[in-house]
Amino acid sequence: MMCTVCGCGEGETTIEGEAHSHDHHHEHAHGHPPPHHHHDGVHHYGLGPAHAHAPGLSQARMVSIEQDILAKNDEYAAANRRRLAERGVLALNLVSSPGSGKTTLLTRTLTDLAGRWPMAVIEGDQQTSQDAERIRATGVRAVQINTGKGCHLDAHMVGHALERLEPEAGSLLFIENVGNLVCPAGFDLGEAHKVVILSVTEGEDKPLKYPDMFHAADLMILNKTDLLPHLQFDVEQCIEYARRVNPRIKVLRLSATTGEGMESWYEWLDASRRLAALGA
Amino acid sequence: MHEMSLCEGVLQLLEVHAEKEGFRRVRVVRLEIGALAGVELEAMRFGFDVVMKGTLADGARLEIIELPGRAWCLCCGESVEIGQRFDPCPRCGGYQLQITGGEELRVKELEVE
């Protein structure tokens, strides 16, 4: 059975190899007596002639709901955001396609910034804890979430990961989402910013192909710029496409392999961290 | 693929309201989904039947009310309709658009018994 709170397959999602146990109940409405009174927002159906039905049949009625489908996720996200703000933690949700160099960017960042700020990582992947191991090799604390068949992290899973990780006050928390430019766009995790990473070995039209993600992100990182001389990638065109779907998006160009442009990323992190602290 | 998770979210709302309003069966679920909400309607319909199986909404009919994408064009100073996020303003061809509608992802109402 799937978990109805976060939509992850129960028994499939694991945090650090342990089954993701849910303490909520899967209560169903079976066995409740039908109501004998009217509630607010409940309208009897079949009052008008067009909807008239024969007496003796069970009474169908309309119930007005008017609620967002993602309301539950958003509640968990708000709780995460509160918790992070209390401790002055800047959380970034890193999203990209598989193979964009996200983990390389992250390990380089952790290595370069070691000692400057406290840092922590939540790693999301469908399977394996290889990425978390790569992160831990840099000396930074990391928790792995395996989503099983799930195609994105959600705020509920991240809440559980935060319980384990307990990031230090004032730290920088990187949440590496599942490699996927579609599904993670709609799921707020409680982060301060979504950062989308696009490598120049991909098509420059990705912002148009996956507009929701580029719309949701505050920063786009163009990675692997050291490979540009060997490619037909049009950087200006790519940025123009990204601004079409998100006029406010900021763009950094860098190579996590050679280190070119990494300083501007660190300046962005520093500025965001200070802004977050001002608001806390 | 996140349409499955969205259907799980719908089921959860149904269960909460079933308890609150005292109904046992859901016959029709009416959703409002905006053109810019990033939802594949076919995937949603497929996911709905799978997720609702064996629940209070087993066999329920899913009705989707599609809402258009709307944006405020900063150049024209007018509200315009757009089909996708990267569409230009249909009046002036510019991209200085602020989305004002079409991101809805809502359970509107149910037919229950």
Side-chain angles (χ1 to χ4, degrees), chain B:
Chain B
M1 246 163 69
H2 67 298
E3 284 80 1
M4 284 292 263
S5 308
L6 296 179
C7 291
E8 296 285 345
V10 172
L11 174 59
Q12 198 181 18
L13 280 174
L14 300 186
E15 291 179 342
V16 168
H17 283 272
E19 185 128 337
K20 219 164 65 182
E21 318 273 5
F23 56 81
R24 283 183 286 188
R25 299 283 306 163
V26 178
R27 302 209 311 194
V28 179
V29 176
R30 219 159 273 135
L31 305 182
E32 283 182 329
I33 297 184
L36 311 178
V39 173
E40 196 54 57
L41 297 185
E42 274 321 300
M44 194 75 191
R45 291 198 178 93
F46 172 79
F48 183 84
D49 291 342
V50 173
V51 167
M52 298 307 159
K53 214 157 208 64
T55 73
L56 75 169
D58 197 340
R61 190 168 79 239
L62 175 65
E63 289 182 13
I64 298 178
I65 301 165
E66 296 175 52
L67 300 176
R70 295 209 65 86
W72 179 258
C73 176
L74 297 175
C75 303
C76 300
E78 281 203 42
S79 180
V80 295
E81 190 170 322
I82 52 169
Q84 282 171 303
R85 282 197 197 281
F86 51 80
D87 279 353
C89 169
R91 293 170 53 92
C92 71
Y95 290 99
Q96 292 295 307
L97 297 175
Q98 278 178 337
I99 308 287
T100 54
E103 294 179 312
E104 299 81 0
L105 206 51
R106 207 159 41 217
V107 180
K108 183 174 171 54
E109 58 189 10
L110 311 174
E111 239 176 88
V112 302
E113 59 188 47

Side-chain angles (χ1 to χ4, degrees), chain A residues 95-98 102 151-152 177-185 213, chain B residues 1:
Chain A
V95 291
S96 80
S97 342
K102 237 180 8 253
C151 47
H152 56 269
N177 218 314
V178 178
N180 176 347
L181 277 178
V182 185
C183 308
M213 188 60 89
Chain B
M1 246 163 69

